[in-house]
C-alpha cells in the first residue's frame, strides 16, 4: 500500500477534514477574517495547512508541531501570495506583462520562488490569470491584461518559474492558477460583482490561460469569488468537475479563495455551512481556505447522507499527494533551511532593475523630449509620487518586510549626479489638499526640464480597489495644470511619470505633456529603472498589454472585438459609433514608443497554402531609422475575414523582439502552429475551417500600422 493510502486508512474524520482546511496565521492580512493561534488545532490534526505565515523560524516551528506532535505526523502545506516578488519586489503583473518577454516572466517567478521557499513556504497563490478588459476593476493590476492568448503565454512561464524542474526541490513552490474563471468581467468593473458572459467568450478568452497552466503542470487552482451566469465558481460543477477535471484532466488540488465556501450562503445558493460545504465538495474543491465550512459542515453533511466518505477521501488523497510531490514527507524542513547567499540578493536586485526598465511603456514622446539631453542641468522633480518609496511597491505584496524601494527622486539623483535636482510634492497622493501647488509649480522657473510624478497611490489598485473614475484625482489634475501652464509659458518640457495599476483615462495629459512614461508600479528598483530611461541609459521597450480608453464610456474597449454589420463610418449616421467620442482608443494594445524608430517591410508568410498540421513561418524585415539603439516588439495577429461564425477583428498569435543599432537592419521570424488558427464553431467545437486568413504583423494593434499577407487554409 502506498504511503498515502496507508495514511488515509488510519485517519479519523477530524484528521481528514484537517487536511482539507487552510487557516491564516495572521502574519499578513489578506481577507476579512482573522484567526488567532492555530497551534492547538495543528496539534490535534484539525488544521493541516496554513496561509500567511512566512519566515524559516515560524514556519519550521509550526511544521515541527505537525510532524512531531500529531498522531500521524503529516507535514503542513504553507502558502502565501507572491504576486510580484517576495522580499524583492518586481513590477506588478500588468507591468511585467508589458515587457512581452516570456524569459523574464519565468525568471522573476523563479527568483520569487527561491525567496519564498527560503522563507519556509511550499506554495504560492499565483499567477493570477484573469483577463481584464475593464480598467475600473482593481485586480487588473494583478494580471496580464486584456488578451487570453497573451495570458496563456504568461501562465506557462509563471508555472514553470514557480515550480521549477523538480517540485520537491528546496527552491520550488507549488503554483496556483487563479481565479478560475472569468473573474475579470465582473459587472461594471465592480469588485466581487456577478459575471454574465457568453459561453463563447468564456471558452475563447477566459479559459485558455487556465488550460495553458494545466498543460504546464500547475499543481493547484483557485476558483474565483464570483458567480458566472448564476453559479458561484466555488460550486461550479460544470467548470470545476466537467471542464477542469474531466476535459483538461487536472488532478491537482483545488483550493478555495478566502472564505469563498462560506460566501456561498451570501451568494444565495446555500442556506448554511452544511449546504455550502456540500456544494463545494461536490464540485471538487479540495481545500477550504478560511471558511471553516468543511470542518463544521461536512460531519453533518455526512450524517445526512449529502456527501460520502469517498468524496472526502478523494480530496484528502489529492492534498496528501501534493505534499508528497513537494517532498514534504521526506524532509518537511527542506525549504527555509539553507539561507541564500548574499550574492543572490544582489543578482535579484539587478534582475528587478532590468525587468522594471523593460516594463515601462513610453506612451508619448513629442519632439524626442526623452531621453533628457546630457546638457540638462536643472531638473524640477514635482508631484506626490516622486519621493514615495512605499507606494513604489504596487499593490499586493504579502511578505511584510521588503527591501527598501528606490524612488524616482533618488534614482534621478544617482543617475544624473551633475544635474541640479529640486523637488516638491505639490499635493498629497490621495487627500485633496492644494496649498502646495503654487510653490511646486514655481520650481518650473528654474528648470530645464520637469519630471512630473503623478497617478494612483499604492492602495488604489488591487483587490477591493475598483474605481468608477479610473483617472487622475482632481487635486493632482490641478497640480498638473499649474505645471503645464508655467512650463509652456517658459518653453520647459514636462515629462509625466504616471503611476497606476491599470490604464487610466488621461486625455488631458496626452494633450499637454511632452512625454509620458506609464510606470505602473515597478517595485524595489522603480526609481533606478525610471532614471535609466529618462537619462537614456536604456531605451523604453514596454508595450501596453491593455488598451487605454480615451473616455470611460468606451469601456470595455479591446483589440479583439468582433466586427459590426455597420462598421464605423463618419459619413454615415447609422453606423457603429458614439456621438460624443471617437471609437479609437487613446493608446492601442501593444502601443509603446522607444528611442529608436522602426520601419517594417517585406512581410513573408510560408507556406501560402496551409494544412492543419503545418507550422507557418512569418518573417519581416526591420530597420532602425532612429538615432539611438533600441528594441522593438513585433506583434503577429490573424484575421479570419469570412468564417462560419463572426471572428474578432484581430487575434494575437505571436510576438517577438529585436534590438537594432541606429541604421541597422534585421529581420525576425515568428512561427505559428496552423492549429492555432482554429476557432470554435457554432457548436463551440474547434474547427480548422478552409478559406483565407490574413496574417498581420507590426508594432501594435493599430490596424493601419500592420503589414498584411493572406494565406489559404486547405
Ligand atoms: C484573494 C486571493 C488570495 C487570497 C489569500 C483573497 O482575498 O482573492 O487572490 O490568494 O486572498 O491571500
Amino acid at each position: 500500500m502506498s504511503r498515502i493510502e496507508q495514511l488515509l486508512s488510519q485517519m479519523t474524520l477530524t484528521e481528514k477534514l484537517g487536511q482539507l482546511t487552510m487557516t491564516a496565521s495572521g502574519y499578513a492580512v489578506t481577507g476579512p477574517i482573522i484567526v488567532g493561534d492555530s497551534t492547538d488545532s495543528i496539534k490535534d490534526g484539525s488544521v493541516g495547512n496554513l496561509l500567511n505565515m512566512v519566515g524559516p523560524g515560524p514556519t519550521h516551528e509550526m511544521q515541527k508541531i505537525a510532524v512531531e506532535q500529531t498522531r500521524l505526523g503529516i507535514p503542513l502545506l504553507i502558502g502565501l501570495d507572491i504576486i510580484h516578488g517576495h522580499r524583492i519586489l518586481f513590477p506588478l503583473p500588468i507591468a511585467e506583462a508589458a515587457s512581452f518577454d516570456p524569459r523574464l516572466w519565468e525568471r522573476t517567478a523563479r527568483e520569487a520562488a527561491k525567496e519564498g521557499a527560503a522563507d519556509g513556504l511550499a506554495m504560492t497563490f499565483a499567477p493570477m490569470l484573469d483577463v481584464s478588459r475593464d480598467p475600473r476593476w482593481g485586480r487588473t493590476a494583478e494580471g496580464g491584461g486584456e488578451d487570453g492568448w497573451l495570458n496563456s503565454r504568461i501562465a506557462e512561464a509563471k508555472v514553470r518559474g514557480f515550480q521549477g524542474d523538480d517540485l520537491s526541490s528546496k527552491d520550488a513552490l507549488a503554483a496556483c492558477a487563479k481565479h478560475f474563471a472569468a473573474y475579470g468581467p465582473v459587472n461594471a468593473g465592480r469588485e466581487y460583482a456577478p459575471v454574465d458572459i457568453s459561453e463563447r467568450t468564456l471558452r475563447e478568452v477566459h479559459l485558455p490561460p487556465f488550460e495553458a497552466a494545466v498543460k504546464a503542470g500547475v499543481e493547484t487552482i483557485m476558483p474565483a469569488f464570483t458567480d458566472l451566469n448564476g453559479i458561484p465558481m466555488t460550486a461550479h460543477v460544470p467548470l470545476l468537475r466537467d471542464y477542469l477535471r474531466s476535459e483538461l484532466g487536472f488532478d491537482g488540488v483545488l483550493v478555495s479563495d478566502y472564505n469563498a465556501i462560506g460566501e456561498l450562503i451570501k451568494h444565495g445558493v446555500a442556506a448554511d455551512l452544511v449546504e455550502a460545504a456540500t456544494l463545494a465538495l461536490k464540485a471538487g474543491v479540495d481545500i477550504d481556505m478560511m471558511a471553516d465550512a468543511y470542518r463544521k459542515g461536512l460531519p453533518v453533511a455526512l450524517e445526512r447522507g449529502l456527501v460520502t466518505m469517498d468524496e472526502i477521501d478523494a480530496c484528502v488523497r489529492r492534498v496528501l499527494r501534493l505534499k508528497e510531490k513537494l517532498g514534504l514527507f521526506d524532509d518537511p524542513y527542506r525549504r527555509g533551511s539553507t539561507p541564500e547567499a548574499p550574492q543572490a540578493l544582489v543578482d535579484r536586485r539587478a534582475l528587478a532593475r532590468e525587468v522594471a526598465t523593460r516594463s515601462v511603456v513610453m506612451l508619448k514622446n513629442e519632439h524626442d523630449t526623452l531621453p533628457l539631453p546630457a546638457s540638462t542641468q536643472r531638473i524640477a522633480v514635482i508631484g506626490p509620487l516622486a519621493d514615495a518609496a512605499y507606494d513604489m511597491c504596487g499593490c499586493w505584496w504579502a511578505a511584510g518586510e521588503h527591501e527598501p524601494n528606490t524612488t524616482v527622486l533618488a534614482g534621478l539623483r544617482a543617475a544624473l549626479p551633475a544635474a541640479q535636482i529640486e523637488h516638491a510634492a505639490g499635493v498629497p497622493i490621495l487627500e485633496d489638499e492644494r496649498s502646495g501647488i503654487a510653490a511646486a509649480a514655481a520650481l518650473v522657473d528654474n528648470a530645464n526640464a520637469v519630471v512630473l510624478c503623478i497617478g494612483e497611490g499604492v492602495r488604489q489598485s488591487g483587490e477591493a480597489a475598483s474605481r468608477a473614475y479610473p483617472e487622475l484625482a482632481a487635486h493632482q489634475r490641478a497640480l498638473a495644470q499649474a505645471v503645464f501652464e508655467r512650463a509652456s509659458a517658459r518653453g520647459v518640457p514636462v515629462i509625466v511619470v504616471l503611476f497606476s495599476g491599470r490604464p487610466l483615462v488621461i486625455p488631458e495629459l496626452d494633450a499637454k505633456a511632452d512625454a509620458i512614461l506609464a510606470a505602473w508600479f515597478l517595485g524595489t528598483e522603480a526609481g533606478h529603472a525610471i532614471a535609466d530611461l529618462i537619462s537614456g541609459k536604456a531605451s523604453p521597450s514596454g508595450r501596453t498589454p491593455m488598451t487605454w480608453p480615451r473616455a470611460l464610456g468606451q469601456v470595455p474597449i479591446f483589440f479583439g472585438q468582433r466586427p459590426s454589420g455597420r462598421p464605423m463610418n463618419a459619413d454615415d449616421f447609422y453606423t457603429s459609433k458614439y456621438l460624443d467620442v471617437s471609437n479609437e482608443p487613446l493608446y492601442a494594445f501593444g502601443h509603446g514608443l522607444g528611442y529608436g524608430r522602426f520601419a517594417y517591410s517585406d512581410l513573408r508568410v510560408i507556406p501560402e497554402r496551409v494544412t492543419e498540421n503545418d507550422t507557418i513561418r512569418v518573417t519581416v524585415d526591420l530597420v532602425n531609422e532612429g538615432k539611438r539603439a533600441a528594441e522593438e516588439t513585433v506583434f503577429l495577429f490573424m484575421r479570419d475575414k469570412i468564417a462560419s461564425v463572426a471572428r474578432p477583428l484581430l487575434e494575437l498569435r505571436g510576438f517577438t523582439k529585436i534590438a537594432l543599432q541606429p541604421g541597422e537592419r534585421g529581420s525576425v521570424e515568428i512561427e505559428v502552429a496552423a492549429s492555432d488558427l482554429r476557432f470554435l464553431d457554432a457548436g463551440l467545437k474547434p474547427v480548422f475551417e478552409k478559406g483565407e486568413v490574413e496574417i498581420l504583423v507590426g508594432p501594435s494593434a493599430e490596424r493601419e500600422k500592420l503589414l498584411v499577407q493572406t494565406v489559404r487554409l486547405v
Side-chain angles (χ1 to χ4, degrees):
M1 206 192 282
S2 73
R3 165 160 53 194
I4 289 172
E5 292 309 320
Q6 215 159 12
L7 277 172
L8 205 52
S9 68
Q10 297 169 52
M11 289 168 90
T12 62
L13 179 60
T14 304
E15 285 162 341
K16 287 180 182 175
L17 298 181
Q19 291 305 311
L20 306 188
T21 297
M22 185 175 261
T23 304
S25 70
Y27 178 92
V29 177
T30 59
I33 302 165
I34 302 165
V35 288
D37 189 356
S38 311
T39 319
D40 288 340
S41 317
I42 294 173
K43 266 186 209 157
D44 67 20
S46 65
V47 163
N49 312 286
L50 292 176
L51 80 148
N52 294 354
M53 166 164 282
V54 70
T59 53
H60 285 186
E61 192 186 321
M62 289 298 132
Q63 199 63 279
K64 210 165 153 48
I65 295 174
V67 174
E68 293 178 12
Q69 298 185 39
T70 62
R71 204 173 68 86
L72 297 172
I74 302 173
L76 297 165
L77 173 66
I78 305 179
L80 184 78
D81 290 280
I82 299 182
I83 307 301
H84 54 109
H86 182 61
R87 301 284 187 190
I88 289 198
L89 298 177
F90 299 116
L92 284 181
I94 185 78
E96 227 195 37
S99 72
F100 281 93
D101 191 332
R103 200 183 44 94
L104 281 184
W105 297 333
E106 182 172 339
R107 277 175 71 201
T108 54
R110 188 82 289 276
E111 290 304 310
K114 285 185 197 163
E115 266 193 352
D119 251 344
L121 303 169
M123 174 184 190
T124 180
F125 311 111
M128 185 187 102
L129 303 175
D130 299 306
V131 171
S132 172
R133 296 175 162 185
D134 191 334
R136 289 173 296 187
W137 188 49
R139 301 200 88 165
T140 295
E142 290 179 61
E146 75 182 46
D147 187 59
W149 188 89
L150 171 60
N151 273 280
S152 304
R153 306 293 76 79
I154 294 172
E156 295 157 355
K158 289 294 175 195
V159 171
R160 276 199 307 267
F162 283 128
Q163 298 190 170
D165 298 330
D166 172 8
L167 197 66
S168 70
S169 77
K170 68 176 189 325
D171 65 6
L173 298 181
C176 179
K178 72 184 192 186
H179 309 83
F180 181 82
Y183 184 3
V186 278
N187 273 346
R190 182 166 42 85
E191 183 65 305
Y192 313 128
V195 174
D196 266 282
I197 57 168
S198 70
E199 187 71 20
R200 173 170 297 281
T201 299
L202 175 71
R203 287 195 170 253
E204 286 185 353
V205 178
H206 298 281
L207 294 184
F210 290 94
E211 182 179 353
V214 171
K215 285 196 175 141
V218 75
E219 290 295 338
T220 79
I221 295 180
M222 180 186 287
F225 283 129
T226 36
D227 91 351
L228 177 61
N229 305 330
I231 308 177
M233 285 309 310
T234 306
H236 208 297
V237 173
L239 281 174
L240 298 185
R241 273 202 185 279
D242 304 345
Y243 174 75
L244 269 187
R245 299 271 193 221
S246 304
E247 200 174 319
L248 297 189
F250 173 68
D251 63 355
V253 167
L254 281 172
V255 53
S256 87
D257 205 345
Y258 205 105
N259 193 37
I261 302 182
E263 289 165 19
L264 291 174
I265 299 170
K266 289 206 175 133
H267 271 291
V269 297
D272 53 25
L273 279 187
V274 177
E275 286 187 20
T278 303
L279 286 175
L281 190 83
K282 293 266 178 206
V285 175
D286 301 303
I287 294 183
D288 168 2
M289 180 195 284
M290 289 304 290
D292 225 0
Y294 278 2
R295 287 197 306 181
K296 290 183 179 147
L298 288 182
V300 185
L302 260 179
E303 248 169 55
R304 289 192 202 151
L306 299 173
V307 300
T308 64
M309 193 60 93
D310 279 353
E311 285 168 327
I312 292 175
D313 285 351
C315 295
V316 178
R317 209 172 266 124
R318 281 191 287 263
V319 173
L320 295 179
R321 209 168 50 212
L322 175 61
K323 292 184 178 186
E324 186 168 61
K325 277 173 142 182
L326 283 161
L328 290 168
F329 283 107
D330 300 329
D331 177 4
Y333 310 109
R334 150 180 317 175
R335 293 175 183 79
S337 287
T338 340
E340 290 196 290
Q343 185 59 33
L345 208 72
V346 176
D347 294 346
R348 202 165 289 137
R349 268 198 103 114
L351 175 64
R353 184 167 180 160
E354 183 188 346
V355 188
T357 309
R358 290 174 164 277
S359 300
V360 174
V361 181
M362 185 160 70
L363 296 172
K364 181 180 178 185
N365 193 23
E366 203 82 338
H367 312 305
D368 291 333
T369 302
L370 286 176
L372 281 184
S375 57
T376 314
Q377 281 167 356
R378 294 184 308 279
I379 305 171
V381 181
I382 299 175
L385 282 138
D387 196 21
Y390 175 70
D391 290 85
M392 295 301 102
C393 291
C395 63
W396 208 207
W397 67 99
E401 297 155 34
H402 51 83
E403 292 294 311
N405 303 317
T406 54
T407 65
V408 181
L409 189 60
L412 283 172
R413 287 197 165 131
L416 304 166
Q420 189 190 321
I421 296 180
E422 290 196 276
H423 163 62
V427 295
I429 298 173
L430 298 177
E431 197 192 335
D432 193 343
E433 157 54 54
R434 305 184 186 199
S435 59
I437 291 182
L443 294 187
V444 174
D445 296 356
N446 188 37
N448 308 122
V450 176
V451 176
L452 180 61
C453 302
I454 49 181
E456 297 188 309
V458 67
R459 300 226 175 268
Q460 283 185 291
S461 63
E463 187 175 352
S466 291
R467 298 184 66 200
Y469 301 100
E471 57 190 24
L472 276 185
H475 64 288
Q476 289 202 36
R477 281 217 301 278
L479 171 69
Q481 183 60 26
V483 169
F484 287 138
E485 273 171 23
R486 198 105 168 195
S488 82
R490 287 163 181 72
V492 179
V494 178
I495 296 131
V496 170
V497 180
L498 183 67
F499 292 92
S500 65
R502 45 157 73 88
L504 295 176
V505 182
I506 49 157
E508 284 171 37
L509 283 187
D510 178 65
K512 291 185 183 152
D514 296 278
I516 305 177
L517 294 174
W520 318 100
F521 288 100
L522 298 171
T524 309
E525 287 292 321
H528 287 140
I530 292 164
D532 284 347
L533 296 170
I534 291 179
S535 65
K537 191 172 160 203
S539 170
S541 61
R543 302 288 187 261
T544 178
M546 232 175 129
T547 306
W548 289 55
R550 59 178 68 239
L552 188 61
Q554 294 178 314
V555 168
I557 181 169
F558 52 95
F559 74 86
Q561 310 214 13
R562 290 196 297 272
S564 158
R566 293 184 174 191
M568 148 78 183
N569 174 355
D571 300 327
D572 186 346
F573 189 76
Y574 293 103
T575 59
S576 178
K577 56 183 164 51
Y578 299 100
L579 292 179
D580 46 7
V581 69
S582 104
N583 282 7
E584 296 307 313
L586 192 58
Y587 308 116
F589 172 94
H591 172 72
L593 307 168
Y595 296 152
R597 201 149 284 137
F598 290 89
Y600 288 67
S601 61
D602 199 13
L603 175 64
R604 283 100 70 196
V605 184
I606 296 169
E608 278 167 37
R609 291 168 64 79
V610 180
T611 62
E612 195 167 353
N613 296 321
D614 281 341
T615 298
I616 305 172
R617 274 199 301 285
V618 180
T619 317
V620 71
D621 296 340
L622 288 100
V623 55
N624 180 358
E625 294 175 343
K627 296 196 186 77
R628 290 176 160 269
E631 192 176 83
E632 176 75 345
T633 304
V634 179
F635 292 98
L636 185 153
F637 299 95
M638 65 170 281
R639 163 92 172 100
D640 193 342
K641 276 166 93 171
I642 309 289
S644 54
V645 294
R647 302 304 303 145
L649 292 165
L650 287 177
E651 295 179 76
L652 185 64
R653 285 295 177 270
F655 56 83
T656 189
K657 293 195 170 243
I658 182 169
L660 292 176
Q661 295 298 319
E664 196 186 355
R665 292 174 179 281
S667 59
V668 297
E669 185 179 283
I670 305 178
E671 289 193 346
V672 182
S675 53
D676 233 13
L677 307 189
R678 290 182 305 189
F679 63 88
L680 302 180
D681 67 12
L684 297 175
K685 294 274 167 298
V687 302
F688 185 80
E689 209 171 77
K690 294 188 172 46
E692 288 187 343
V693 166
E694 287 180 347
I695 302 293
L696 307 99
V697 173
S700 75
E702 263 177 280
R703 183 65 183 76
E704 318 73 67
K705 294 192 179 155
L706 298 170
L707 299 178
V708 187
Q709 282 286 336
T710 303
V711 293
R712 174 164 285 280
L713 309 193
V714 293

